[in-house]
Amino acid sequence: MVDAAALATPAAAAPAASSLSVSDLHAWYGESHVLHGMAFEVPKGQVVTLLGRNGAGKTTTLRSIMGVMNKRKGSIRFEGRETIKLPSRAIARAGIGYCPEERGIFASLSVEENLMLPPVVRPGGMSRDTIFELFPNLKERLSSGGTKMSGGEQQMLAIARILRSGASLLLLDEPTEGLAPVIVQQIGRTISRLKAEGYTIVLVEQNFRFAATLADRHYVVEGGRVVDTFLNADLQSNIDKLHAYLGV
Amino acid sequence: MHTFLGIPTQVLFGQLTLGLINGAFYALLSLGLAVIFGLLNIVNFSHGALYMMGAFAGYILLQVFGVNYWGALVLAPLIVGAFGIVIERTMMARLYRLDPIYGLLLTFGLALIIQGLFRNSYGVSGLPYAAPPIFRAPLQLGFMVLPAYRAWVIVASLVVCLATWFTIEKTSLGATLRAATENPVMVSAFGINVPRLVTLTYGFGVALAALAGVLAAPIYSVNPNMGADIIIVVFAVVVIGGMGSILGSVITGFALGLCEGLTKVVYPQASSTVIFVIMIAVLMVKPNGLFGRAA
């Protein structure tokens, strides 16, 4: 009976078990209504991208999932549990790690303090040794000030510190923005490795060529909602449509 | 008699020691203000009243409950700190999203109410609080005689200030606190309970004020206006040191106490205004204070 009831829910009806399931999500900055019914699924263990122009609502979507938007409505289910009404700290403790677009590195903390700041919320997080193996530069710079490092190193720190906590879903907001190609490649390799280790990742990107090397599925965001979606395998056949959406 | 620049050394050292003692209180109080301002972004105008409450808590603990000085040194900060936590949870927590002026009005109003209540019950003439017997014998330093209790106040204040600085700058709890000061939203998004951190920080800042109150009780008499008298100077110290700077508030507190003492020797008429003159000079050259970061 329990199984039958579970099967009736939309999440269970999806082809793979969903890590994250967003539906009819609305969000506001003050009076300004910016998300108009966002809806998408993120299957467990997959990398999903939100593509779209500036101002489409991609960052706001991640902020809403993380609970840092004050005014939001609709449904955000993480591992089957409704989180729309939870405060940000409870959402983090449920097992979602957030790497914001501005990276959120603390200037008044050293690299090590930044790395160790997020509390471990669930077992199964990466050890310090594994993190240093992934990001050897960080080990060299542990005592420097968090914002004294290069942009690329700060980006790696911002990703590294959410790996310790045991989060299973990572929200990465434009991790390659403004970085040199060699750093972009390194971050790409890191994300592939994280995917191989079983992390589920929502990636916000403007650079769909970068996204195409990593993602399983793409959602195109426009005007605060998802207007199209395709599997990465179908990217080439949709390339003209995508160019039109992104205006590139 | 020995003299230094025409000033008898006894007088010079006497005033400098007095300055150092005042400085110890400036440091403890401005440290609490800095800790509170850093995380809560509230200028705690009730800080002086809470310092006075600390002194009264010590007095009442002794008179009514027979708790001695050492007991009061532990209990008074806990009691007054708990009072601060209640104030933060029930009143201040409602103001964080509003203009900072509301926090200022609330804490200023609270200060007036607390002072009024104590004035009503205890009058304005000071109540005596004897220093513990262990400090009866003065210290013979050779160049001067130093009352032992005053030496204790300077040492205790220094230790508490340094311990606070160490906790904030060098421990993981302190790192969380600094991070929450810088970007509370991001810290919440890591799963840390920022409102609880804010409450405990306020409680700690208030406890520091109460501790200063107990330390002050045997030196200045215990009276309802003691906080109002000192707090204006402490605000000047905070402004000179730089709002929210921990080490800045400690160093500035002691240094300005010394300046005040020195002025009493050289030009006594200016001793009560010298700190404000320094404040104006510092603000003209460094608007963020000596140790303050640019806003």
Side-chain angles (χ1 to χ4, degrees):
Chain A
M1 283 308 285
V2 175
D3 286 348
L7 277 174
T9 68
S18 269
S19 168
L20 184 76
S21 166
V22 174
S23 57
D24 196 31
L25 177 63
H26 293 255
W28 290 261
Y29 283 107
E31 294 298 305
S32 150
H33 190 170
V34 283
L35 295 187
H36 301 266
M38 274 299 287
F40 62 97
E41 297 281 328
V42 184
K44 254 188 194 130
Q46 293 202 359
V47 176
V48 157
T49 64
L50 304 180
L51 301 171
R53 299 186 200 200
N54 274 332
K58 307 176 304 278
T59 293
T60 309
T61 303
L62 295 195
R63 289 171 56 87
S64 299
I65 296 168
M66 210 55 233
V68 296
M69 290 295 290
N70 288 330
K71 198 170 167 198
R72 59 192 194 280
K73 262 191 209 151
S75 169
I76 301 168
R77 298 180 78 85
F78 172 60
E79 296 182 346
R81 180 175 165 216
E82 182 58 63
T83 64
I84 190 85
K85 293 216 181 323
L86 294 181
S88 185
R89 62 175 182 273
I91 294 169
R93 291 203 166 262
I96 304 183
Y98 177 45
C99 176
E101 189 177 8
E102 70 283 1
R103 299 179 188 131
I105 301 298
F106 298 95
S108 55
L109 273 63
S110 69
V111 170
E112 176 155 35
E113 286 172 330
N114 268 288
L115 183 63
M116 302 308 282
L117 181 72
V120 173
V121 296
R122 295 205 306 200
M126 273 190 191
S127 67
R128 276 172 67 114
D129 288 344
T130 317
I131 286 174
F132 291 143
E133 182 209 321
L134 272 177
F135 307 101
N137 316 35
L138 295 184
K139 197 176 182 178
E140 319 284 315
R141 309 283 317 256
L142 280 179
S143 57
S144 355
T147 48
K148 295 274 159 64
M149 300 194 300
S150 70
E153 287 170 321
Q154 287 188 42
Q155 186 61 58
M156 290 177 195
L157 176 57
I159 297 175
R161 68 180 170 183
I162 53 174
L163 302 178
R164 257 186 62 255
S165 70
S168 62
L169 171 64
L170 308 180
L171 311 178
L172 308 181
D173 197 345
E174 301 215 21
T176 62
E177 193 188 16
L179 300 179
V182 56
I183 310 285
V184 172
Q185 281 176 12
Q186 195 183 346
I187 288 176
R189 281 195 301 271
T190 306
I191 295 176
S192 309
R193 164 88 183 266
L194 295 178
K195 183 181 173 186
E197 299 219 355
Y199 282 94
T200 308
I201 296 170
V202 178
L203 185 65
V204 162
E205 265 299 345
Q206 305 251 16
N207 178 352
F208 76 87
R209 285 180 187 83
F210 172 77
T213 60
L214 302 162
D216 298 289
R217 178 183 287 273
H218 305 277
Y219 290 99
V220 180
V221 183
E222 210 173 85
R225 63 173 70 85
V226 170
V227 293
D228 207 345
T229 172
F230 34 83
L231 296 172
N232 196 50
D234 304 331
L235 190 67
Q236 282 313 319
S237 50
N238 286 287
I239 202 87
D240 293 335
K241 231 164 51 171
L242 194 59
H243 279 303
Y245 282 130
L246 301 179
V248 285
Chain B
M1 188 187 274
H2 295 286
T3 61
F4 178 75
L5 297 176
I7 302 158
T9 47
Q10 276 285 10
V11 175
L12 183 65
F13 285 123
Q15 288 299 347
L16 284 181
T17 317
L18 267 183
L20 210 51
I21 297 199
N22 285 336
F25 291 112
Y26 298 159
L28 273 177
L29 289 172
S30 62
L31 175 65
L33 278 178
V35 169
I36 291 171
F37 179 78
L39 190 56
L40 282 74
N41 217 6
I42 275 188
V43 179
N44 188 29
F45 262 85
S46 52
H47 215 65
L50 296 160
Y51 156 80
M52 177 270 288
M53 273 181 84
F56 267 98
Y59 176 83
I60 294 166
L61 280 168
L62 180 67
Q63 298 297 323
V64 181
F65 301 99
V67 178
N68 70 9
Y69 174 82
W70 303 106
L73 215 48
V74 176
L75 284 179
L78 289 178
I79 295 166
V80 181
F83 173 77
I85 283 176
V86 172
I87 297 286
E88 196 277 335
R89 275 295 81 199
T90 56
M91 301 180 204
M92 292 169 78
R94 297 161 196 275
L95 304 180
Y96 297 142
R97 286 165 185 229
L98 303 177
D99 192 284
I101 194 81
Y102 288 95
L104 194 150
L105 283 173
L106 172 73
T107 53
F108 188 64
L110 280 171
L112 294 180
I113 292 170
I114 294 169
Q115 275 169 33
L117 288 175
F118 276 89
R119 217 157 22 220
N120 221 24
S121 308
Y122 294 95
V124 286
S125 57
L127 303 164
Y129 190 101
I134 189 176
F135 298 122
R136 289 274 153 79
L139 302 178
Q140 304 288 344
L141 297 182
F143 58 91
M144 69 176 294
V145 177
L146 180 64
Y149 185 76
R150 303 193 163 197
W152 154 250
V153 166
I154 295 169
V155 172
S157 166
L158 262 178
V159 169
V160 170
C161 287
L162 287 177
T164 305
W165 171 82
F166 181 85
T167 307
I168 290 175
E169 296 298 331
K170 304 287 169 198
T171 68
S172 65
L173 173 68
T176 307
L177 206 70
R178 277 177 282 138
T181 301
E182 205 177 314
N183 186 348
V185 171
M186 195 64 218
V187 172
S188 290
F190 288 144
I192 293 166
N193 191 335
V194 174
R196 190 171 63 195
L197 197 65
V198 166
T199 303
L200 292 176
T201 301
Y202 187 71
F204 176 74
V206 169
L208 279 181
L211 179 76
V214 181
L215 285 172
I219 296 184
Y220 315 115
S221 63
V222 178
N223 91 67
N225 294 332
M226 63 192 285
D229 295 341
I230 196 171
I231 202 66
I232 301 299
V233 179
V234 172
F235 277 121
V237 170
V238 171
V239 170
I240 293 168
M243 293 295 266
S245 160
I246 303 299
L247 201 57
S249 62
V250 175
I251 295 172
T252 319
F254 278 101
L256 288 176
L258 281 174
C259 282
E260 225 179 20
L262 204 61
T263 314
K264 267 183 193 140
V265 183
V266 188
Y267 188 61
Q269 296 88 325
S271 66
S272 57
T273 47
V274 62
I275 287 186
F276 300 99
V277 174
I278 294 174
M279 180 177 88
I280 292 168
V282 166
L283 287 182
M284 286 168 72
V285 183
K286 294 194 78 175
N288 292 308
L290 294 175
F291 299 85
R293 278 183 283 257

